[in-house]
Amino acid sequence: MTYVPMTARSRVEGHRTATTLELFFDLCFVVAIAQAGQRLVHALAEGHPGSGVVGYFFVFFGVWWAWMNFTWFASAYDCDDVPYRVTTLVQIAGVLVYAAGVGRAFDTNDWTVAVIGYLIMRVALTAQWLRAAAGESGAARSAALKYAAGLVLCQAGWVALLFAPDAWKRWLFLVLVVAELLVPVVAESGHQTPWHAHHIAERYGLFTIIVLGETIAASTVAVKSAIDEHDALGVLLPIAAGGLLIVFAAWWIYFAVPVHERLTSNREAIPWGYGHLLIFASGAAIGAGIEVAVEHAVGNAHISQVAANASVTVPAAVFLLMVWLLHSRHFKRGTAQQLVLPLTSVAILACTWAGSYAVLYAGLVAAAAVVAGTALVARSAPAAG
């Protein structure tokens, strides 16, 4: 379609699925996620976990928030005509510019390139919201205009951040993060945009697959490089096997429940959507942790065995705990089912002190959680017939 008026999609539209443009948009985030992960690996391997985790959170927030902004807008107003596609492609260009600036933002607190990337994305997204406002009336039009105004004000704040003293930047960054998070809350206070619950759940699931896929890719490259350079297959196999079990279990557990059934209003959807920052960030950090564990195993990391183990066990535990908090607990019956994931998170953390086999043990614990959870659900299911 060359051009159609941009009007709201139906919240009960049947067979709503992700479009190929949305899948393409997601794929372009792999570059930014990989950049953030590599910086985290370097910081952890050099024994700088504090600055590494803080820097990783800051740059990953930018990745996640850019994806969030597009995803929820598209769920409500995707009209798939030429102007919509072109505007989305401009947003993708902004994502790639942001990815190019991740290294400087992480290493030297220089956000210039990253902010330019965001500016490109924001100009395009603001145009989308203004176009949506033109096709709406009443409370829906007011909500769209509030989104557009919020984007402009927050982006002005990010540009101003570039001129702030370096010592203030990270504190001002947190202020701007809060401002960004408040924009949807304020914009939707008088009108809920017509996002589609099943579509949103699918989009979040697809991005979860993106971050877990990046984890597998990064881990594979790390293991291959270590084998080629150090011929250390014996010490790497437990790490590779354990890491694979963790990622397999993470996928299984995330997709075990029909979470779209809970997303009935903003009251459930906004905390759920925001909470995914920790799910996505920890999922990607598992891969960075496995790379650190590999580096330590071949003698290239200047940290203790416990620190190397924690680089895997901590993000794995956070991932499982957040999936339980946002997803699983709403569908579990009885104390036994409810305790599986919290206890698994604790057990995985305990593996931190298990020496050189910690990652393997953590993977076995994660796999055991899948088995236990599946068995408990099967036992509580009503008998057929």
Side-chain angles (χ1 to χ4, degrees), residues 294-317:
V294 169
E295 291 288 298
H296 181 270
V298 297
N300 289 341
H302 309 295
I303 54 176
S304 67
Q305 180 72 64
V306 170
N309 296 342
S311 66
V312 179
T313 58
V314 171

Side-chain angles (χ1 to χ4, degrees), residues 325-339:
L325 184 64
L326 296 176
H327 277 1
S328 304
R329 68 186 178 92
H330 302 291
F331 297 88
K332 299 300 182 183
R333 302 174 183 172
T335 303
Q337 288 188 23
Q338 288 289 4
L339 287 177

Side-chain angles (χ1 to χ4, degrees), residues 8 19 22 30 32 48-49 61 71 77 84 111 141 166 169 210 213 227 229 235 239 242 280 289 312 315 318 323 377:
T19 66
E22 288 174 316
V30 172
H48 306 297
F61 174 84
T71 296
Y77 288 105
Y84 178 87
W111 289 85
R141 174 181 170 82
D166 286 344
K169 282 185 178 179
I210 289 284
I227 291 173
E229 296 174 13
V235 296
I239 297 173
F280 294 154
V312 179
V318 170
V323 169
V377 170

Side-chain angles (χ1 to χ4, degrees), residues 253-264:
I253 291 166
Y254 184 91
F255 291 99
V257 296
V259 73
H260 64 276
E261 294 178 3
R262 276 205 78 248
L263 304 180
T264 57

Side-chain angles (χ1 to χ4, degrees), residues 245-246 249 253 320 340-341 344 347-348 360-376:
L245 286 173
I246 290 171
I253 291 166
L320 295 181
V340 170
L341 289 183
T344 299
I348 286 177
L360 178 60
Y361 293 155
L364 292 173
V365 169
V370 171
V371 174
T374 303
L376 287 170

Side-chain angles (χ1 to χ4, degrees), residues 28-292:
C28 293
F29 278 88
V30 172
V31 180
I33 293 171
Q35 289 288 317
Q38 282 300 313
R39 276 357 193 240
L40 180 61
V41 169
H42 180 74
L44 294 178
E46 292 298 318
H48 306 297
S51 61
V53 171
V54 170
Y56 176 73
F57 172 79
F58 282 172
V59 298
F60 200 93
F61 174 84
V63 173
W64 166 76
W65 192 242
W67 180 86
M68 278 269 296
N69 278 224
F70 168 77
T71 296
W72 289 83
F73 175 85
S75 189
Y77 288 105
D78 181 358
C79 60
D80 198 33
D81 63 358
V82 170
Y84 178 87
R85 290 187 174 193
V86 171
T87 308
T88 301
L89 293 175
V90 172
Q91 288 179 262
I92 291 175
V95 171
L96 298 177
V97 173
Y98 178 86
V102 163
R104 287 191 175 194
F106 197 111
D107 297 337
T108 64
N109 205 27
D110 179 1
W111 289 85
T112 304
V113 177
V115 169
I116 291 172
Y118 245 73
L119 183 61
I120 295 170
M121 287 187 279
R122 287 296 176 77
V123 168
L125 186 59
T126 301
Q128 296 278 50
W129 276 115
L130 290 175
R131 186 181 173 197
E136 294 281 21
S137 61
R141 174 181 170 82
S142 177
L145 290 174
K146 287 177 183 177
Y147 266 112
L151 289 170
V152 171
L153 289 173
C154 287
Q155 188 58 42
W158 292 115
V159 173
L161 181 68
L162 298 179
F163 302 97
D166 286 344
W168 294 8
K169 282 185 178 179
R170 292 202 165 174
W171 296 107
L172 292 174
F173 188 101
L174 293 176
V175 173
L176 288 170
V177 164
V178 173
E180 291 279 5
L181 295 177
L182 285 175
V183 170
V185 176
V186 173
E188 307 231 0
S189 59
H191 172 78
Q192 179 175 298
T193 53
W195 48 265
H196 191 285
H198 195 283
H199 175 250
I200 285 291
E202 181 190 18
R203 297 289 290 115
Y204 273 72
L206 290 171
F207 202 74
T208 300
I209 291 174
I210 289 284
V211 298
L212 293 178
E214 172 58 28
T215 286
I216 290 177
S219 303
T220 302
V221 171
V223 171
K224 178 184 181 300
S225 298
I227 291 173
D228 291 345
E229 296 174 13
H230 300 277
D231 194 22
L233 184 60
V235 296
L236 296 178
L237 276 178
I239 297 173
L244 202 57
L245 286 173
I246 290 171
V247 174
F248 284 174
W251 167 82
W252 192 302
I253 291 166
Y254 184 91
F255 291 99
V257 296
V259 73
H260 64 276
E261 294 178 3
R262 276 205 78 248
L263 304 180
T264 57
S265 71
N266 284 344
R267 183 176 181 179
E268 295 83 21
I270 289 178
W272 177 86
Y274 285 5
H276 268 73
L277 171 59
L278 291 179
I279 288 181
F280 294 154
S282 60
I286 293 171
I290 294 171
E291 289 190 64
V292 173

